[in-house]
Amino acid sequence: MGGTFDPIHHGHLVAASEVAHRFELDEVIFVPTGEPAFKQDRDVTSSEHRYLMTVIATASNPRFTVSRVDIERAGLTYTVDTLRDLQKERPDADLYFITGADAIAQILTWKDAPQLFDMAHFVGVTRPGHALSDAGLPNGVVSTLEVPALAISSTDVRERVADGEPVWYLVPDGVVQHIAKYGLYRGLP
Ligand code: NAP
């Protein structure tokens, strides 16, 4: 499951659990991005904070793990590199790449797009009422799943923290505490 996770919230966790159930996955590897390829216009929280919050949020689930492949690779994060690194670590695995449907809608513009479809099956998780437009996508390479809990968004969590509003129960308790401890998202414009 790829994402910026700035911060990780319960929508991401419910989405991972739903996709794992639907596709009978053995494990969900959360992969926080390093430098996101299409996000050079806004300040993204340091990858170490995003990684730590992802570890805290997933710690209690034995089927959830967190990978540092995107964080440790220099330069911008491209999914083709993520999948290549994960294939090296788990050569026998049948890989599914899960992320937000809004992100997957742009997949044809991603680096080495045609190759991606041979490397993994893609699953786009959507918020209620936001269908994925699959215009132009090859048949059967992308599945979508609507996840009601994705009414929660990282943008909303960041704005709530900046406005001094509570984020309890939108993100796991340990993530609330991590945000408070390090003063994340306080100074947003
Ligand atoms: P984003 O633009 O931050 O997010 C787009 C939408 O998808 C937002 O609504 C976001 O909600 C949601 N979303 C993102 N990750 C999600 C997840 N794991 N589960 C559920 N919803 C999710 O997208 P991003 O985080 O930069 O990129 C997502 C993934 O696609 C990353 O792994 C990234 O590396 C990959 N990607 C690759 C390329 C490329 O190879 N060229 C280009 C773009 C993205 P929240 O803000 O609430 O998460």
Side-chain angles (χ1 to χ4, degrees):
M1 176 173 242
T4 309
F5 302 129
D6 191 15
I8 190 165
H9 54 65
H10 277 128
H12 298 128
L13 297 166
V14 173
S17 166
E18 287 288 308
V19 174
H21 174 70
R22 176 72 67 93
F23 294 95
E24 300 180 356
L25 308 182
D26 298 317
E27 179 185 3
V28 179
I29 310 165
F30 288 73
V31 191
T33 56
E35 293 275 320
F38 291 108
K39 214 166 273 181
Q40 289 156 294
D41 53 338
R42 96 161 167 85
D43 282 342
V44 173
T45 307
S46 83
S47 53
E48 286 306 326
H49 276 307
R50 293 184 290 107
Y51 169 77
L52 283 173
M53 290 190 282
T54 307
V55 169
I56 291 166
T58 55
S60 62
N61 187 326
R63 287 182 185 244
F64 287 178
T65 55
V66 187
S67 167
R68 293 180 60 89
V69 288
D70 283 356
I71 291 173
E72 284 178 359
R73 194 182 323 103
L76 297 178
T77 294
Y78 295 109
T79 297
V80 67
D81 300 324
T82 312
L83 291 172
R84 208 173 276 137
D85 287 347
L86 293 176
Q87 267 174 350
K88 269 188 221 142
E89 286 177 4
R90 293 169 169 76
D92 299 325
D94 188 9
L95 293 180
Y96 285 65
F97 187 82
I98 314 163
T99 195
D102 298 355
I104 284 195
Q106 308 297 319
I107 196 169
L108 295 176
T109 67
W110 292 7
K111 187 178 166 208
D112 298 333
Q115 224 180 303
L116 290 173
F117 302 122
D118 295 330
M119 302 174 86
H121 185 83
F122 285 78
V123 184
V125 288
T126 63
R127 307 200 142 88
H130 286 73
L132 169 71
S133 153
D134 58 0
L137 292 179
N139 270 345
V141 293
V142 176
S143 307
T144 56
L145 191 64
E146 187 175 292
V147 179
L150 280 174
I152 304 172
S153 80
S154 297
T155 305
D156 182 46
V157 170
R158 291 193 302 272
E159 287 174 358
R160 289 182 69 91
V161 174
D163 292 344
E165 292 167 1
V167 294
W168 292 107
Y169 314 115
L170 297 175
V171 302
D173 293 357
V175 173
V176 179
Q177 286 155 346
H178 186 94
I179 291 169
K181 179 171 174 182
Y182 293 100
L184 305 183
Y185 312 124
R186 275 199 207 137
L188 290 182

